[in-house]
């Protein structure tokens, strides 16, 4: 154990290191407060705090019912893994969805069987890539019209459900959990949704739906089940592509243009809330807002907000416009006893280039990395240790530009390209203005000497583990 590690243990600063290539995950303020035994919220204020608003990704994990379930209090929680509530809560949710959110669960699903046996679009891999590469058409100022992919006659909710419902699938992810006491392996199941984008079986979904899965099964609205292969996934955008080899004709979703979506437009969400028992549910609402910045599990995304009901299990499902075109991939909801109707979807126009890269390369090309994992130095840490506020190196990747430039554990990055950086997010924003192969100039407080040095780091390309 080196001097840096001993110092951190003695002062209770040692945190779990993110062993990924890049510095995208750091301790939150709350976690750091816990590490140094400092309350994040004063007791007298905590007693007055409203019930917590929880931002969560909508993947439903099937586990044993939790008795006496209570929402966590006093902090915002970003939980991917959802515990299944008791059956009474399920029934209540189903009743509310039926009366408030115009859920079309039964009749439209079965009506979709007939549509689901036809090939809508007939796209193979090459064709689906060409569709993803299409650029939105622009506004014509001469006659004050907008020519876009979002055109045609508006459809009723029934027509939208028949058109798009068969293109939305159920996804079951089998996740292995090893119990060390007996050295035995047990499995849990997570369920989500996906959207068919090609007739030969390419399906888009959320990364958190399939992340860590040892096996993935796709269920069509016809009831057919297929094993799926992971083509590529991207945690930063929370997108993934999987593929099945179908033995029947597939209904392919028509992709719209989310860049011209306006607040107040009709929005229809299709997916599998709470798992397969509510497969193919349709809820209707409007576009509540666009370009909403939401942070979940350290990922900051710009999303479409809707009041169409989105629940656990809806992740990866379709948000559809009035023309039956997919404009978003349902991903996140805000849940609290004081919050209703706040769901969020990844804009399809922003998802297209990511999906294209995942199909072609298995990862998103062109992302620069410094080659470190890190944590933010808070004011408390800086005061106690006599350090500057900045981004502290916790580990360097072997052979990375950071290691070659001489960055070591304990060093603190205080500037990047001449701009002050206090957090990993600030450092990443500057880094992301560069391309792989370019260099970023860092000002670093050296842990060993206590002196500041300027270091040029050559950026490499981010690759999956």
């Amino acid at each position: 154990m080196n001097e840096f590690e001993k110092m951190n243990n003695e002062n209770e600063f040692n945190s779990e290191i993110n062993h990924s290539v890049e510095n995208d995950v750091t301790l939150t303020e709350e976690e750091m407060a816990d590490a140094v035994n400092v309350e994040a919220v004063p007791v007298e204020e905590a007693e007055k705090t409203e019930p917590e608003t929880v931002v969560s990704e909508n993947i439903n994990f099937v586990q044993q019912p939790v008795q006496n379930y209570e929402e966590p209090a006093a902090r915002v929680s970003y939980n991917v893994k959802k515990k299944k509530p008791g059956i009474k809560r399920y029934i209540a949710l189903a009743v509310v969805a039926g009366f408030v959110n115009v859920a079309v669960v039964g009749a439209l699903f079965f009506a979709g069987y007939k549509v689901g046996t036809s090939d809508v679009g007939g796209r193979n891999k090459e064709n689906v890539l060409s569709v993803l590469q299409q650029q939105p058409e622009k506004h014509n100022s001469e006659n004050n019209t907008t020519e876009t992919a979002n055109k045609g006659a508006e459809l009723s909710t029934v027509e939208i459900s028949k058109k798009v419902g068969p293109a939305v699938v159920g996804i079951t992810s089998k996740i292995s959990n090893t119990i060390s006491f007996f050295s035995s392996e047990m499995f849990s199941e997570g369920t989500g949704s996906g959207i068919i984008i090609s007739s030969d079986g390419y399906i888009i979904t959320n990364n958190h739906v399939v992340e860590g899965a040892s096996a993935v099964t796709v269920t069509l609205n016809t009831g057919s089940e297929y094993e799926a292969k992971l083509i590529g996934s991207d945690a930063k955008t929370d997108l993934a592509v999987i593929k099945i080899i179908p033995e029947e004709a597939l209904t392919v979703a028509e992709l719209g243009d989310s860049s011209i979506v306006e607040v107040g437009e009709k929005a229809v969400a299709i997916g599998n809330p709470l798992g397969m028992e509510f497969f193919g549910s349709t809820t209707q609402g409007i576009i509540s807002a666009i370009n909403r910045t939401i942070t979940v599990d350290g990922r900051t995304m710009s999303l479409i907000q809707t009041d169409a009901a989105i629940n656990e299990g809806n992740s990866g499902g379709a948000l559809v416009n009035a023309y039956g075109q997919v404009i978003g991939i349902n991903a996140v909801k805000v849940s609290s006893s004081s919050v209703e109707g706040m769901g969020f979807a990844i804009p399809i126009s922003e998802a297209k280039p990511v999906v294209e890269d995942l199909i072609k390369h298995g990862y998103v090309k062109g992302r620069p990395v410094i080659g470190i994992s890190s944590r933010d130095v808070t004011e408390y840490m800086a005061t106690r240790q006599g350090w500057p506020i900045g981004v502290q190196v916790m580990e360097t990747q072997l052979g990375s530009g950071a290691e070659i430039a001489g960055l070591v554990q304990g060093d603190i990055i205080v500037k990047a390209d001449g701009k002050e950086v206090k957090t990993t997010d600030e450092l990443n924003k500057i880094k992301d203005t560069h391309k792989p192969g370019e260099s970023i100039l860092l000002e670093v407080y050296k842990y060993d000497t206590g002196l500041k040095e300027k270091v040029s780091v050559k950026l490499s390309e981010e690759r999956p583990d």
Side-chain angles (χ1 to χ4, degrees):
M1 181 179 292
N2 62 31
E3 183 182 351
F4 176 78
E5 291 170 328
K6 288 180 180 178
M7 180 277 296
N8 275 272
N9 284 335
E10 290 169 359
N11 292 283
E12 298 181 346
F13 283 137
N14 198 26
S15 62
E16 181 180 349
I17 296 175
N18 170 29
H19 292 284
S20 63
V21 174
E22 190 48 316
N23 50 8
D24 289 330
V25 178
T26 59
L27 290 181
T28 64
E29 290 292 339
E30 290 82 0
E31 291 169 327
M32 187 56 66
D34 290 339
V36 296
N37 208 20
V38 175
E39 292 293 337
V41 180
V43 174
E44 59 270 23
E45 293 182 13
E47 294 176 353
K48 301 176 184 178
T49 303
E50 291 289 329
E52 179 198 10
T53 297
V54 180
V55 181
S56 61
E57 297 166 315
N58 306 303
I59 177 170
N60 182 57
F61 278 86
V62 180
Q63 298 180 353
Q64 294 298 320
V66 178
Q67 302 298 323
N68 301 320
Y69 175 82
E70 294 181 0
E71 289 186 318
R75 68 187 181 92
V76 176
S77 174
Y78 306 100
N79 297 319
V80 175
K81 194 170 184 178
K82 298 292 181 180
K83 292 184 178 180
K84 183 178 179 182
I87 189 64
K88 291 183 179 179
R89 188 177 180 189
Y90 274 176
I91 294 172
L93 284 170
V95 172
V96 172
F99 285 99
V100 179
N101 297 304
V102 197
V104 184
V105 179
L108 296 180
F109 169 59
F110 288 109
Y113 281 175
K114 296 180 180 179
V115 184
T117 57
S118 63
D119 178 11
V120 179
R123 300 197 287 265
N124 56 24
K125 177 179 178 179
E126 290 71 24
N127 286 338
V128 74
L129 286 174
S130 68
V131 169
L132 292 169
Q133 292 168 355
Q134 288 178 356
Q135 297 297 319
E137 298 179 29
K138 297 184 179 181
H139 183 78
N140 187 335
S141 58
E142 292 183 3
N143 55 14
N144 198 31
T145 61
T146 303
E147 297 179 354
T148 69
N150 302 352
K151 58 186 179 182
E154 290 194 14
L155 306 178
S156 69
T157 305
V158 172
E159 291 170 326
I160 291 171
S161 299
K162 288 180 178 180
K163 177 181 178 180
V164 186
V168 178
V169 303
I171 297 176
T172 303
S173 298
K174 189 176 183 181
I175 299 172
S176 134
N177 301 290
T178 301
I179 299 178
S180 58
F181 184 77
F182 296 105
S183 296
S184 59
E185 191 174 33
M186 297 185 68
F187 295 93
S188 59
E189 285 189 346
T191 57
S193 308
I195 307 167
I196 300 172
I197 59 170
S198 75
S199 60
D200 58 343
Y202 282 92
I203 297 167
I204 53 177
T205 185
N206 290 134
N207 172 68
H208 72 263
V209 171
V210 296
E211 188 174 22
S214 56
V216 177
T217 302
V218 168
T219 304
L220 304 183
N221 83 317
T222 59
S224 301
E225 292 187 354
Y226 295 92
E227 291 184 5
K229 176 184 178 182
L230 179 64
I231 300 300
S233 61
D234 181 54
K236 187 172 183 179
T237 57
D238 194 24
L239 291 169
V241 177
I242 59 177
K243 190 179 186 303
I244 61 173
I245 301 176
E247 297 177 355
E248 59 195 280
L250 301 178
T251 297
V252 178
E254 181 183 354
L255 305 183
D257 180 7
S258 60
S259 67
I260 51 87
V261 167
E262 294 184 322
V263 174
E265 285 187 26
K266 180 178 180 178
V268 175
I270 303 177
N272 313 309
L274 306 182
M276 297 302 177
E277 59 187 307
F278 296 116
F279 189 109
S281 293
T282 299
T283 58
Q284 178 178 292
I286 62 169
I287 300 298
S288 303
I290 56 176
N291 301 323
R292 288 292 199 209
T293 300
I294 302 293
T295 300
V296 186
D297 282 341
R299 296 187 292 266
T300 300
M301 299 178 285
S302 180
L303 305 175
I304 298 171
Q305 181 183 337
T306 180
D307 65 348
I310 295 175
N311 294 288
E312 294 179 9
N314 271 119
S315 277
L319 187 67
V320 186
N321 64 12
Y323 308 101
Q325 299 161 332
V326 176
I327 54 171
I329 303 166
N330 299 324
V332 176
K333 71 171 183 177
V334 176
S335 60
S336 166
S337 58
S338 59
V339 173
E340 290 183 8
M342 292 187 70
F344 299 87
I346 300 169
I348 196 65
S349 297
E350 295 180 16
K352 283 180 181 180
V354 175
V355 171
E356 181 187 348
D357 269 0
L358 293 180
I359 292 175
K360 291 169 66 176
H361 310 291
Y363 69 99
V364 179
K365 288 184 66 65
R367 285 186 181 154
V369 290
I370 297 172
I372 62 172
S373 60
S374 67
R375 68 176 179 183
D376 297 345
V377 176
T378 64
E379 289 187 13
Y380 181 90
M381 295 167 62
T383 300
R384 184 163 178 172
Q385 297 298 330
W387 293 340
I389 294 175
V391 178
Q392 188 166 49
V393 177
M394 301 302 290
E395 187 178 35
T396 57
Q397 185 196 17
L398 184 65
S400 67
E403 185 193 46
I404 294 171
L407 293 183
V408 297
Q409 186 184 62
D411 289 349
I412 300 171
I413 301 169
V414 294
K415 286 185 179 181
D417 288 344
K419 298 177 182 178
E420 206 173 75
V421 292
K422 296 182 178 181
T423 66
T424 300
D425 284 344
E426 291 177 355
L427 175 60
N428 282 336
K429 285 179 182 178
I430 297 173
K431 174 207 68 178
D432 289 342
T433 63
H434 292 274
K435 296 179 181 179
E438 296 180 353
S439 294
I440 184 171
L441 182 63
L442 305 178
E443 186 172 314
V444 181
Y445 170 89
K446 299 295 291 182
Y447 175 77
D448 290 338
T449 65
L451 302 176
K452 290 183 180 179
E453 297 180 5
K454 289 185 178 180
V455 179
S456 180
V457 177
K458 186 175 181 179
L459 301 171
S460 53
E461 184 177 56
E462 181 180 353
R463 296 289 184 93
D465 296 334

